[in-house]
Amino acid sequence: MFTQAVRRAAILAAIAVGASMAVVGSPIEAAAFDDAGECATLLLDAANQAGVSGSSTIVSDQGYESCSVRFDDGLKRTVLKAAMASLAGCPPWWANQEGVVATTFHGDDAWTRGPAGDKWSERSFVWCSFDDPEYQFSVETTVFDAATYGGAADPLPVAEQLWSLAQDRLPFGPAGADVPPTDSEMPPGSTPPGDTDSYPIAEGDYTTDRYGWMYFTTPDGKSCGMAANGGPVGCDAVAADAPPDVNQTYVAIWAPAEYRYSDTATFTADVDVLPVGQQLQIIGSSCAVTAFDTVRCETGGEHGFILSADSSVFW
């Protein structure tokens, strides 16, 4: 989805500055990441104290508003995440799915799920803490060869370490600080900060008989699509604060994103939902779903948009 020049996607329209990503070998220490902020350092320290193993780690840090770390150990994976609840959602988007158990964690709302297949096993533990601002935390453990390694590890010991450290370190900053400007305020030639390099490529049915196009729907029902070689890329949807008489969000390689009106649906097809935290790539264009109601799309010409239910950012 992203070339090296354009692989920048945010968790939502209100992502803080200072995104970074790095890969190092084990053992993992926060000091190994020159650009790791307080958020990622919290996750790294919690993982180390819990004894999480991994031969490599991917760290994504969007300031105090969101961060994630990923540990890979052969066919085993552990991922820790923290994000302001206004970005990530509390409860999580999958809270009502079959097999999810609602519970509590140190007096806070929490949810667990543990889908398993013939070849893989996954367990997730998510909880929400603090009031101003509220944060969502998650620990996910996955085994991609359950027959050999058994089921995924219990995420609760890692969650306990993360909860303990978070009591002393969070919140990192005042709610609303370092929020990127809106589309009307975005300086010419600038791009909202963010990073979805760690997002996996989605597996599903996202193509039709229309050559050179990919389509998807978002978890909240937006229909979006992208053409190869720089677009167009867009959604047959607009934010709540869009001007009247528009029904599309649109961007192409040669010009900044914009709202427009179309008599026909350009970006709608009968395809699968693109899950939160996953991305799609096509030559010169890219899209990632960064939250239940938010999608970020870019073209190879450094133009793109972030579209959520309430607002948008264009560049």
Side-chain angles (χ1 to χ4, degrees):
M1 177 176 70
F2 292 97
T3 64
Q4 195 66 15
V6 300
R7 295 188 74 175
R8 298 182 301 271
I11 194 170
L12 201 57
I15 293 280
V17 297
S20 65
M21 184 174 181
V23 180
V24 301
S26 183
I28 304 304
E29 296 183 4
F33 299 91
D34 295 336
D35 297 327
E38 293 178 278
C39 185
T41 299
L42 167 67
L43 302 185
L44 287 164
D45 289 347
N48 283 329
Q49 292 186 20
V52 174
S53 61
S55 57
S56 65
T57 295
I58 295 178
V59 174
S60 177
D61 192 349
Q62 285 85 36
Y64 73 88
E65 290 189 332
S66 72
C67 59
S68 66
V69 300
R70 191 181 89 187
F71 297 81
D72 291 305
D73 186 6
L75 295 177
K76 303 177 184 180
R77 175 173 296 170
T78 303
V79 180
L80 290 74
K81 300 178 182 178
M84 290 176 63
S86 60
L87 307 181
C90 282
W93 65 270
W94 44 261
N96 294 321
Q97 289 185 348
E98 184 178 355
V100 174
V101 177
T103 183
T104 59
F105 185 59
H106 295 281
D108 295 317
D109 292 334
W111 299 266
T112 65
R113 65 174 179 176
D118 295 336
K119 295 183 178 180
W120 64 276
S121 172
E122 178 185 270
R123 299 177 68 178
S124 299
F125 185 79
V126 174
W127 75 100
C128 298
S129 294
F130 300 96
D131 294 324
D132 187 24
E134 186 178 27
Y135 282 85
Q136 183 201 94
F137 301 90
S138 68
V139 179
E140 304 164 359
T141 59
T142 305
V143 171
F144 295 97
D145 185 354
T148 300
Y149 293 98
D154 184 0
L156 193 57
V158 184
E160 289 285 1
Q161 291 293 338
L162 180 52
W163 179 87
S164 179
L165 292 177
Q167 306 311 301
D168 296 327
R169 303 189 190 182
L170 285 174
F172 293 137
D178 296 325
V179 174
T182 64
D183 54 319
S184 60
E185 302 170 325
M186 191 63 63
S190 63
T191 301
D195 198 334
T196 54
D197 282 355
S198 62
Y199 283 15
I201 302 297
E203 296 183 2
D205 182 12
Y206 300 109
T207 59
T208 67
D209 57 2
R210 189 179 185 186
Y211 179 76
W213 278 76
M214 296 187 74
Y215 298 90
F216 63 94
T217 58
T218 64
D220 69 332
K222 298 183 186 71
S223 293
C224 304
M226 52 185 176
N229 300 316
V233 180
C235 300
D236 290 317
V238 297
D241 64 356
D245 301 323
V246 294
N247 59 6
Q248 283 187 344
T249 305
Y250 181 99
V251 68
I253 193 171
W254 53 82
E258 62 179 354
Y259 288 133
R260 58 169 55 187
Y261 174 80
S262 176
D263 289 329
T264 59
T266 307
F267 306 107
T268 299
D270 184 13
V271 292
D272 290 346
V273 172
L274 179 59
V276 175
Q278 296 190 28
Q279 58 172 310
L280 290 175
Q281 298 180 353
I282 198 169
I283 297 173
S285 301
S286 59
C287 286
V289 172
T290 58
F292 177 81
D293 66 349
T294 305
V295 59
R296 175 167 177 154
C297 293
E298 298 184 72
T299 69
E302 299 294 318
H303 296 301
F305 62 82
I306 299 172
L307 176 64
S308 69
D310 297 326
S311 61
S312 62
V313 177
F314 296 158
W315 63 94

